[in-house]
Amino acid sequence: MYTAHPDRYADMPYRRTGRSGLKLPALSLGLWHNFGPDRPAETQRAILRRAFDLGVTHFDLANNYGPPPGAAESALGEALKTDFAGYRDELVISTKAGYLMWPGPYGEWGSRKYLLSSLDQSLSRMGLDHVDIFYSHRFDPDTPLEETMGALHTAVQQGKALYVGVSNYNAEQTREAARILGELGTPLLINQPRYSMLDRRPEDEGLMDALDELQVGSIAYSPLEQGLLTSRYLDGIPEDSRAASDSPFLNTDALTEELVGRLRALAGIASERGQSLAQMALSWVLRGGRLTSALVGASSPRQLEDSVAATRNLDFSEEELARIDAIVKQ
């Protein structure tokens, strides 16, 4: 029988999400790659337990997380029954819909039919009557945004979601989504973009400025760039790494000699800060308090502990930031 650590809230920083009353931990756990039948169930449960013990109260999912699609939600559902039944009100659980889940014309994108059907399926897999945050996972260019946002609003009205968000929406799309939701009376809580030291599009393309103006929260996915911003590839490509697999998200072609040289230079700055490269990468996206939270994955409790340790040093000197910029932008 799992009992949560009594000091689980002692060290994790929590940040208010936009202008809402909801606070998220600086680091949230993403259940993207490491939760499914191809991973030991006990390892998955151990990661979730350790996360909660460390104050990571937010578990982020999507309908298609696994593999196979739906497996991550099912895995969390089992853990909610066995380990977290008494802690549901201490957890923030989010899920998304937007990518392909079932065949035919109603199994992806942003129609009202797809989004609300997907949410019902997600709740069934997790054994929940509601999620805390329900996202439109990607902008649908062929469905009126009023319909997509209307579906999110309906999910809140039905009591199946407490808050709503968008993911992979640019600045203009986010502004319009926020306007529509505001008129409906369901504020846009949060945007989930891809953001890291190596991928600065949310800054460069004005998304972060738009979120500041709208007072909407932000949570970054891939802050470690699929493992590039770790020590894993500083001395070659390990056989058991994602880059050595057939992953569509990272392959050996991406690991050029030039990139590895930049990663090693970044690792040198991290070492001077008393951090690993991964820890510095997480600290960088969280610097200054502009971002609400950063999503991390974990294949073991120890890996999660290493990530959480990044929250002990979130401050950067102007010199450090300038050196990082010089390396990344060269």
Side-chain angles (χ1 to χ4, degrees):
M1 173 69 103
Y2 165 70
T3 301
H5 197 286
D7 296 329
R8 57 190 175 276
Y9 297 114
D11 298 319
M12 174 63 67
Y14 296 87
R15 298 178 171 184
R16 189 170 300 279
T17 311
R19 61 179 176 176
S20 77
L22 183 68
K23 292 183 177 181
L24 293 180
L27 287 181
S28 299
L29 180 64
L31 279 70
W32 183 12
H33 285 303
N34 298 308
F35 289 80
D38 60 339
R39 306 289 177 125
E42 276 307 307
T43 300
Q44 296 175 50
R45 289 179 63 187
I47 293 168
L48 293 168
R49 292 176 191 147
R50 189 62 183 137
F52 191 53
D53 283 346
L54 292 169
V56 179
T57 53
H58 178 209
F59 298 158
D60 179 78
L61 302 101
N63 56 0
N64 64 332
Y65 286 0
E73 290 178 331
S74 296
L76 180 63
E78 289 301 313
L80 290 172
K81 286 189 294 186
T82 56
D83 293 328
F84 296 99
Y87 300 106
R88 172 64 182 97
D89 291 336
E90 295 184 49
L91 293 171
V92 173
I93 297 172
S94 61
T95 197
K96 315 176 196 72
Y99 288 93
L100 182 64
M101 269 302 288
W102 60 85
Y106 320 119
E108 62 178 328
W109 291 107
S111 72
R112 180 179 182 85
K113 178 172 177 59
Y114 167 67
L115 290 173
L116 295 177
S117 296
S118 178
L119 178 56
D120 284 342
Q121 293 180 23
S122 292
L123 293 174
S124 177
R125 282 189 288 268
M126 292 185 283
L128 296 174
D129 59 5
H130 75 277
V131 291
D132 297 282
I133 308 170
F134 182 47
Y135 287 87
S136 168
H137 205 166
R138 60 173 170 171
F139 178 79
D140 183 349
D142 296 321
T143 297
L145 195 55
E146 288 82 0
E147 178 176 341
T148 301
M149 295 302 106
L152 298 186
H153 172 63
T154 295
V156 173
Q157 286 188 310
Q158 292 176 340
K160 296 177 181 179
L162 301 184
Y163 302 92
V164 298
V166 296
S167 181
N168 300 303
Y169 278 51
N170 65 27
E172 180 183 355
Q173 293 159 355
T174 300
R175 289 181 190 277
E176 184 65 4
R179 182 192 67 77
I180 295 168
L181 285 168
E183 291 178 354
L184 291 171
T186 296
L188 177 62
L189 175 79
I190 195 167
N191 187 311
Q192 185 177 132
R194 181 169 183 153
Y195 179 49
S196 74
M197 283 197 296
L198 299 180
D199 188 345
R200 304 188 181 192
R201 284 175 294 176
E203 290 182 3
D204 298 339
E205 298 175 1
L207 176 61
M208 298 300 286
D209 290 337
L211 297 178
D212 289 344
E213 178 187 327
L214 296 166
Q215 294 183 281
V216 169
S218 53
I219 180 168
Y221 74 87
S222 293
L224 301 181
E225 281 298 314
Q226 301 293 318
L228 283 179
L229 288 169
T230 71
S231 60
R232 195 150 174 76
Y233 300 106
L234 298 181
D235 298 303
I237 302 176
E239 291 184 2
D240 62 344
S241 67
R242 184 170 298 164
S245 71
D246 58 355
S247 170
F249 304 105
L250 181 65
N251 55 56
T252 54
D253 293 339
L255 282 156
T256 63
E257 184 176 337
E258 178 188 7
L259 176 59
V260 173
R262 285 191 286 162
L263 296 176
R264 287 173 178 160
L266 291 171
I269 298 176
S271 179
E272 294 172 14
R273 289 171 49 85
Q275 292 182 310
S276 66
L277 176 55
Q279 289 168 342
M280 186 178 77
L282 294 172
S283 296
W284 186 88
V285 297
L286 293 167
R287 73 197 187 286
R290 196 178 192 189
L291 193 77
T292 310
S293 184
L295 281 164
V296 295
S299 57
S300 69
R302 184 173 180 178
Q303 186 180 38
L304 181 67
E305 291 165 1
D306 183 74
S307 293
V308 170
T311 62
R312 299 173 193 156
N313 185 8
L314 299 179
D315 296 325
F316 287 81
S317 69
E318 289 300 320
E319 179 190 10
E320 286 173 328
L321 291 174
R323 290 170 64 195
I324 290 169
D325 287 349
I327 293 167
V328 170
K329 296 179 180 181
Q330 67 184 5

